[in-house]
Amino acid sequence: MTHPAAAFARELIAALAAQGVTDYVLCPGSRSGPLAHALAEAASDAPPVGAPRVNLHVRIDERSAAFLAIGIARARALTGPPRPVAVITTSGTAVGNLMPAVMEAHHAGIPLLLLTADRPSELRGTGANQTTDQEGLFGAFVRWAANSSAPERAEHGGRATRLAARAVHWAIGETERDELATAPGPVHLNLEFRDPLGPDGGSWPDVGPGKATLLDRTRTRTRARTRLRTLSMPARPFADGTHGVVIAGDGAGDDARLVAEARGWPLLAEPTSGARSGDHALIHYVELLASEPGQVLAERVRHVVVIGRPTLSRPVQRLIDSAPSLLVASHGARWREVPRHAERVLPAVPEEWFRQGNADDAWLAEWRRACAAVAAPSELWGARAVAGVFVSSLTGGDVALLGSSGPIRMVDAVAPVWRAGHTPTLVANRGLAGIDGTVSTAMGLALALGRPISALMGDVTFLHDVGGLLVGSEERIPDLRIVVVNDGGGTIFGRLEHAKAPPENVRRVFTTPHRLDFAALAAAYGARHTLVKSAAGLTKALAKPPVGVHIVEAVL
Ligand SMILES: Cc1ncc(C[n+]2csc(CCOP(=O)(O)OP(=O)(O)O)c2C)c(N)n1
Ligand SMILES: [Mg+2]
């Protein structure tokens, strides 16, 4: 006889798959057993009749699993419409471990489906083991949360299918609310299961093709975007020849370059903007803005257009703060983080901004000259040099992940301006800029893309999520190279105001130095390890694409 829990789990997975959810990250546990059995069957070499095709990854640590899911979702978004990635956990503290990734996904606009198993309501508040208040645990960090009562024998089915449809709908940001407020994000389904939780050998249901396949959704979304692009904007938002700049933050995309070129304005593009190309993009813009001549130029700026979400440097933030006229578009998921003085905040770049104007060529030329005059500190070996070698090892089609703290800022300082259309894809968890989950995110990116990728991160960032290196013996190992900048701790704080404290205090409570043996660590996780101490050594270590996991430790 079929078990109600098992039947519900099969229907839910079948319905999610029909909605386009192909990737599942599962953590072990008993209460989530019905989902685990269903996924194991569907992902097996000989799936039962009617089971959907799914990509299954199994991880022990739920915090790492959820960041792995972020990596997978980021990879999917590089090649298509937003596609939710499911994370499955048992009850209790397992659920709480998802929170960091849920917060990042909320701010970065990444669709995650959190499927958390729970005791049935009659066992809650009775002292049952591993039972807590899971409903609503993620608070404002999820687009939608629903509790699903324990499946009953008398049920006819269909409930899991409807739940799946609504969950996907919310996760990809396709809601009826104000379009400005919608963006992909995490969704929580708290799923009660009553015993028995074991396998029942039951058959897979036919849930139909799914009300709307993701492909259909893409079409609706494209239409929505076109509509937004023609939103009525002031007929001439920028008078010809006015002095403006375009700031391209995380996730801006090529639109930022096109707008800068149409207006004839300089383009200040962060490395993960995807817009750091063409001849309007400037290098050394952070150093320029921090300098005297840069401040004089900044004072003459009339319009600041921000596309994407800039987070990396204080001089850029000051330019935004002091802009006499500020327009923001495609800023990311959470519009409350937009600077308060923005006159207009648009979900997408309006068509008018792309229309060619009569540019004041002298304005751009001044910026170019000023940037060229900023002497970039040259360095034989140091964090800048590592970033420089790392970035120059990347070519047009490459994807790389940048950790928070020093490394992404070094890349901002040294990365070239690429030829339009030849930019490597640089990604980073800039939603909340945490140093957590970075190894796992890189793993997820590499697994989902199915080709070698590389990551650059600091030593503390690496150690924070070193558990992300744990890939079980039954699991697929990605081809991933992680370049770790080992400068003996979190050195970013030494460049901030904290450095005024006595050095021994700064060391202990900010830098947090360690004595980690990275070679031993890599060996324990079955990863390759290479120690490099020079730019030439690093260049050599990066010459060939990685096979399996390869830790390149750049000791400063
Ligand atoms: C989860 C989380 N905890 C703490 C921080 C604060 N934080 C920012 S940078 C940093 C140190 C990072 O050190 P490392 O990765 O070695 O980079 P470095 O500063 O040396 O360039 C810390 C602890 C954070 N961003 N995220
Ligand atoms: Mg460090």
Side-chain angles (χ1 to χ4, degrees), residues 63 100 383 403-407 409-410 432-437 457-464 485-493 495 510-512 514:
R63 184 177 72 171
S404 293
S405 201
R409 293 183 171 83
M410 295 301 167
L432 286 177
I435 60 163
D436 46 352
M457 64 189 76
D459 48 340
V460 175
T461 302
F462 175 76
L463 293 174
H464 200 298
V485 184
N486 189 0
D487 53 6
T491 54
I492 195 168
F493 302 114
R495 297 192 289 275
F510 288 101
T511 315
T512 57
H514 52 82

Side-chain angles (χ1 to χ4, degrees), residues 257-345:
R257 174 182 68 84
L258 297 173
V259 171
E261 290 175 0
R263 307 255 69 77
W265 290 350
L267 169 62
L268 317 181
E270 290 190 353
T272 60
S273 64
R276 202 174 167 116
S277 62
D279 30 82
H280 288 239
L282 302 175
I283 32 176
H284 308 315
Y285 66 90
V286 176
E287 280 134 318
L288 172 71
L289 288 172
S291 74
E292 186 74 40
Q295 278 155 33
V296 173
L297 264 181
E299 272 164 27
R300 291 167 51 208
V301 171
R302 305 312 309 155
H303 291 291
V304 172
V305 165
V306 175
I307 301 176
R309 176 154 189 226
T311 56
L312 291 185
S313 74
R314 290 186 182 181
V316 167
Q317 218 51 54
R318 273 199 300 273
L319 180 60
I320 293 172
D321 291 345
S322 62
S325 150
L326 177 68
L327 297 166
V328 176
S330 303
H331 186 269
R334 300 312 290 176
W335 301 92
R336 68 194 158 93
E337 303 302 336
V338 170
R340 282 205 186 83
H341 65 295
E343 286 148 54
R344 304 213 47 170
V345 179

Side-chain angles (χ1 to χ4, degrees), residues 381 386 459 481-488 514 516-520 522-523 527-542 550-556:
W381 186 235
V386 173
D459 48 340
R481 176 177 290 128
I482 302 178
V483 177
V484 182
V485 184
N486 189 0
D487 53 6
H514 52 82
L516 256 293
D517 178 344
F518 285 77
R528 260 184 75 206
H529 173 266
T530 305
L531 180 71
V532 296
K533 293 178 173 172
S534 67
L538 180 59
T539 307
K540 198 169 151 229
L542 305 187
H550 182 198
I551 313 297
V552 175
E553 178 190 358
V555 169
L556 303 191

